[in-house]
Amino acid sequence: MKNTFLAFAVLLLASTFSSCVILSPKKYKALLGTKDSLYTAFSEGQIKIENLEDEVKRLKKDTTLIAEDLRDLQSRFNDVNANYSKLKNNSSSEITKLSGDLAAREQRLKEVEEVLRKRDEATNQLKEKLQQALLGFTKSGLTVDIKNGKVYVSLMDKLLFPSGSIVIDENGKKALAQLAKVLEEQPEINIAVEGHTDNQKVNNLGQIKDNWDLSVLRSTSVVRYLTETEKVESVRMTATGKGEFQPLGLNTGADGRSKNRRIEIVLSPKLDELYNLIK
């Protein structure tokens, strides 16, 4: 390109000289100035062309890099889209499964609540029947209460036993006979007989060594009477002795000790249906 420009300049000068044999100094200087201007313009143009060529190379390189990045992003997008579709399908399945599980749990909860409602209803009815049947013994220290879904029939020791004895007296037998009549009408009721004492040491009671013995033996006396005399099913019965360790009152006075010496007959409905529901 540079040689072409020089040839053009020489040709221009030659043509000028051929048309005029003798040039004036002024015209000659003008022609030299024109040649210099053309050469300068050509040099600047050449630099611009080289810069443009470099820019084209850079743009081509950038375009290649952008294309690679675009392909990489497209590949990532496809992966993300595929994972999203899979997750969406799995989520729909999980939601359907969870909805089914929740519905089943809600149904089971309703069934449990219904069983508990029936239990509470039966417990209240049992309490009312016992209060009516044992009404004549309330002045002798008999109470009927409901605690934790169970009916507690509490009989003070003076209602059942002579002092320091494990043999049920006649008044106690009458109370237990009335109790047995109600229990016969309630075959779905489990019966636990608990013996309780005060904290006074046992003295001169023969085979009875301490309050543990006294509470257990009184409990078993009640169980034997209910099963052997009143024919309550033995399989429904449990006898336990709590000794002095579950007092109702303070053992510092006669009234508190009297409350603590008692037999508690704990009546609880069989909960087989409930246990089956919560397995």
Side-chain angles (χ1 to χ4, degrees):
M1 181 67 75
K2 184 176 181 180
N3 293 333
T4 303
F5 175 77
L6 291 174
F8 173 74
V10 171
L11 179 62
L12 178 62
L13 290 173
S15 62
T16 302
F17 284 119
S18 62
S19 58
C20 300
V21 177
I22 299 174
L23 294 175
S24 65
K26 185 177 181 179
K27 288 183 178 181
Y28 177 76
K29 288 181 179 181
L31 286 174
L32 290 177
T34 300
K35 186 197 77 167
D36 291 340
S37 297
L38 290 173
Y39 185 79
T40 300
F42 172 77
S43 297
E44 291 175 352
Q46 191 72 16
I47 292 171
K48 289 181 179 180
I49 289 172
E50 291 175 354
N51 291 337
L52 288 174
E53 288 176 347
D54 291 340
E55 184 68 16
V56 169
K57 290 179 181 179
R58 187 184 65 79
L59 290 174
K60 285 182 177 180
K61 183 178 180 180
D62 289 346
T63 301
T64 300
L65 293 175
I66 291 172
E68 291 176 354
D69 290 341
L70 180 61
R71 284 193 296 271
D72 183 58
L73 289 173
Q74 185 65 45
S75 177
R76 292 184 182 181
F77 172 77
N78 292 337
D79 292 341
V80 170
N81 194 45
N83 290 333
Y84 170 75
S85 299
K86 184 178 180 181
L87 180 61
K88 183 178 179 182
N89 293 332
N90 290 340
S91 297
S92 298
S93 300
E94 288 297 323
I95 290 173
T96 302
K97 182 181 178 181
L98 288 174
S99 298
D101 291 344
L102 181 60
R105 288 175 181 268
E106 289 178 348
Q107 179 61 32
R108 180 172 292 186
L109 178 60
K110 289 179 180 179
E111 293 173 355
V112 171
E113 289 175 343
E114 179 63 16
V115 171
L116 292 176
R117 186 192 67 78
K118 291 180 179 179
R119 182 207 66 178
D120 292 341
E121 182 179 336
T123 301
N124 287 320
Q125 291 176 354
L126 177 60
K127 177 187 175 183
E128 292 177 3
K129 289 181 180 180
L130 288 168
Q131 285 178 327
Q132 293 175 3
L134 301 172
L135 184 62
F137 300 95
T138 55
K139 292 182 180 180
S140 300
L142 183 147
T143 60
V144 182
D145 295 299
I146 293 178
K147 292 184 287 185
N148 301 320
K150 300 176 182 179
V151 177
Y152 283 72
V153 180
S154 182
L155 303 97
M156 295 179 66
D157 67 334
K158 66 182 181 181
L159 176 58
L160 295 173
F161 305 100
S163 178
S165 175
I166 61 173
V167 179
I168 302 171
D169 62 22
E170 292 303 316
N171 197 39
K173 291 178 181 179
K174 291 178 182 178
L176 293 177
Q178 290 296 106
L179 174 64
K181 289 180 180 179
V182 178
L183 296 179
E184 288 175 1
E185 299 172 358
Q186 306 289 330
E188 297 303 314
I189 297 296
N190 289 319
I191 308 159
V193 180
E194 299 178 354
H196 299 266
T197 69
D198 58 24
N199 68 344
Q200 300 299 298
K201 289 184 178 181
V202 173
N203 295 312
N204 301 320
L205 291 181
Q207 64 176 339
I208 302 173
K209 297 179 180 179
D210 53 26
N211 284 323
W212 281 116
D213 278 350
L214 181 59
S215 64
V216 171
L217 291 172
R218 282 183 168 180
S219 174
T220 54
S221 292
V222 172
V223 168
R224 285 195 184 95
Y225 182 82
L226 289 173
T227 56
E228 294 175 3
T229 303
E230 299 299 333
K231 306 304 178 184
V232 177
E233 293 176 310
S234 299
V235 70
R236 299 167 60 189
M237 305 291 296
T238 302
T240 59
K242 303 290 186 177
E244 63 195 70
F245 301 103
Q246 292 187 7
L248 293 179
L250 297 176
N251 282 303
T252 54
D255 289 341
R257 290 194 295 270
S258 179
K259 291 179 181 178
N260 295 335
R261 296 191 303 269
R262 68 196 187 278
I263 290 290
E264 285 190 341
I265 300 175
V266 185
L267 308 175
S268 55
K270 294 180 180 179
L271 298 178
D272 295 345
E273 184 180 359
L274 178 61
Y275 294 149
N276 289 334
L277 285 173
I278 61 178
K279 282 182 179 178

